[in-house]
């Protein structure tokens, strides 16, 4: 593939993700800027109660990003994770005006925290995916600027709306979050039509490479040789090193991409593998090129 053709095909998706970065923060800013006034007007809560609720929301976001985010991303992809995050934010914002008791307010804030914890890193990850090696900094920088701009425009807009209706800012934020989920879905659809994906579909399937390896390479207590495909060997190798915790299937393009990424990340352990020279060279070659079955 000519790199310029790939970069040109990515440009519309980058523009869409810049807009997504803006919409994500604009929707969330309706909570950041108006929730304190809302609980003051309806429940008489002051700065202390707001501080505890905000602290709890922050802890939920941290826990989501440190424990669950990566597992969810591996199962449904970066785009799917962002869509789930946007919908979770939409549920949280829509529920706030409906609350009658403070406990329910905390529950809907938890939805917001979970959604933001999933959506925020996903936007950055997707922008990084579409940016080329030469414009990573500018693409991510503009994405951050769009989010910062939303932090300015959101509170001003929502403050004006709050003067007209105390519930309306949260409904507007919920609608924007849903629209953002729809936008990301279309980005995902367009992503499937990128030139590099078409090129992969046009390629003829390659028969699985068969290796004869010592079982000791796979299972420490055995010295018997057996035949396995290279794909099976790589799966076992990555599991043994704690890098992979699920099954990957060579017929799935997303799993092939994930295998390639994991191998590139662990290229040094692969090179240091004890075994015959041909096997080591074969594995090393696979870390430098996209994998196929």
């Amino acid at each position: 593939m000519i790199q310029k053709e790939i970069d040109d095909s990515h440009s519309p998706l980058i523009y869409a993700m810049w807009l997504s970065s803006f919409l994500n923060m604009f929707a969330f800013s309706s909570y950041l800027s108006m929730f304190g006034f809302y609980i003051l007007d309806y429940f008489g809560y002051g700065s202390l109660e707001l501080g505890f609720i905000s602290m709890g929301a922050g802890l939920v976001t941290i826990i989501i990003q440190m424990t669950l985010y990566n597992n969810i991303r591996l199962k449904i992809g970066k785009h799917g994770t962002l869509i789930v995050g946007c919908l979770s934010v939409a549920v949280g914002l829509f529920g706030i005006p409906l609350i009658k008791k403070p406990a329910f307010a905390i529950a809907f804030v938890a939805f917001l925290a979970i959604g933001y914890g999933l959506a925020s890193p996903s936007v950055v990850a997707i922008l990084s995916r579409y940016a080329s090696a030469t414009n990573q900094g500018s693409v991510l920088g503009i994405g951050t600027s769009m989010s910062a701009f939303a932090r300015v425009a959101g509170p001003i807009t929502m403050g004006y709306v709050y003067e007209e209706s105390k519930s309306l800012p949260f409904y507007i934020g919920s609608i924007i979050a849903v629209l953002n989920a729809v936008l990301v879905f279309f980005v995902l659809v367009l992503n499937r039509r990128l030139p590099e994906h078409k090129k992969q579909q046009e390629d003829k399937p390659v028969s699985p490479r068969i290796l004869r390896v010592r079982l000791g390479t796979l299972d420490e207590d055995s010295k018997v040789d057996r035949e396995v495909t290279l794909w099976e060997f790589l799966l076992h190798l990555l599991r043994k090193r704690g890098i992979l915790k699920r099954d990957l299937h060579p017929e799935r393009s997303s799993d092939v991409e994930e295998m390639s990424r994991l191998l590139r990340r662990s290229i040094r352990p692969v090179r240091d593998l004890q075994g015959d020279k041909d096997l080591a060279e074969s594995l090393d070659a696979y870390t430098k090129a996209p994998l196929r079955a």
Side-chain angles (χ1 to χ4, degrees):
M1 296 299 299
I2 299 175
Q3 188 61 42
K4 185 178 184 302
E5 181 183 356
I6 294 177
D7 293 342
D8 291 344
S9 67
H10 286 187
S11 294
L13 304 186
I14 291 175
Y15 297 148
M17 291 310 303
W18 282 341
L19 176 59
S20 176
S21 179
F22 175 84
L23 294 178
N24 181 56
M25 181 50 65
F26 193 90
F28 194 68
S29 68
S30 60
Y31 158 75
L32 292 176
S33 57
M34 295 296 111
F35 185 70
F37 294 110
Y38 190 84
I39 61 174
L40 174 63
D41 292 338
Y42 280 89
F43 304 122
Y45 280 7
S47 57
L48 179 62
E49 292 83 359
L50 177 62
F52 278 115
I53 294 175
S54 300
M55 180 186 69
L59 289 175
V60 170
T61 299
I62 291 172
I63 293 171
I64 289 294
Q65 293 181 349
M66 292 183 64
T67 60
L68 297 179
Y69 173 79
N70 197 51
N71 291 331
I72 296 174
R73 180 188 62 81
L74 290 175
K75 289 182 178 180
I76 63 176
K78 295 183 284 289
H79 298 80
T81 304
L82 178 52
I83 291 172
V84 171
C86 291
L87 294 179
S88 180
V89 169
V91 170
L93 289 173
F94 189 83
I96 287 177
L98 304 178
I99 57 179
K100 303 299 180 182
K101 297 181 180 180
F104 292 110
I106 297 173
F108 284 114
V109 169
F111 270 100
L112 281 165
I114 292 171
Y116 187 74
L118 295 176
S120 181
S122 297
V123 172
V124 177
I126 295 172
L127 281 173
S128 178
R129 157 72 177 83
Y130 293 138
S132 66
T134 57
N135 67 352
Q136 284 268 346
S138 60
V139 168
L140 294 178
I142 294 176
T144 302
S145 298
M146 294 297 288
S147 179
F149 179 59
R151 288 179 178 269
V152 176
I156 295 175
T157 304
M158 297 304 176
Y160 175 78
V161 173
Y162 191 83
E163 290 295 319
E164 302 298 323
S165 171
K166 292 179 172 55
S167 301
L168 195 55
F170 304 104
Y171 290 137
I172 291 176
S174 180
I175 293 172
I176 291 174
V178 172
L179 291 177
N180 194 20
V182 174
L183 173 64
V184 176
F185 175 77
F186 279 111
V187 169
L188 177 59
V189 172
L190 294 175
N191 172 69
R192 299 302 182 187
R193 301 178 182 178
L194 291 176
E196 58 264 39
H197 289 304
K198 291 182 179 179
K199 183 71 168 75
Q200 290 175 2
Q201 293 171 2
E202 293 169 359
D203 288 340
K204 294 181 179 180
V206 180
S207 299
R209 186 176 303 184
I210 304 298
L211 302 173
R212 189 164 187 82
V213 297
R214 291 196 315 274
L215 277 179
T217 309
L218 301 176
D219 305 297
E220 296 178 356
D221 297 332
S222 177
K223 296 183 179 179
V224 181
D225 290 352
R226 77 173 181 188
E227 290 185 351
V228 295
T229 65
L230 180 58
W231 186 272
E232 291 170 337
F233 178 83
L234 294 176
L235 282 178
H236 190 97
L237 176 68
L238 294 174
R239 288 198 196 101
K240 188 175 180 181
R241 295 185 180 277
I243 299 172
L244 181 66
K245 297 182 179 180
R246 69 183 186 98
D247 286 332
L248 298 178
H249 302 279
E251 66 274 11
R252 297 178 185 171
S253 59
S254 60
D255 284 1
V256 172
E257 182 182 346
E258 181 68 16
M259 173 69 83
S260 183
R261 185 187 67 80
L262 291 173
L263 287 176
R264 290 190 181 97
R265 192 179 72 181
S266 57
I267 184 171
R268 178 56 56 186
V270 170
R271 282 180 173 172
D272 291 343
L273 178 71
Q274 294 182 356
D276 64 69
K277 184 178 179 181
D278 292 338
L279 175 59
E281 290 177 352
S282 177
L283 292 174
D284 187 48
Y286 265 67
T287 64
K288 297 178 181 177
L291 290 175
R292 292 191 297 273

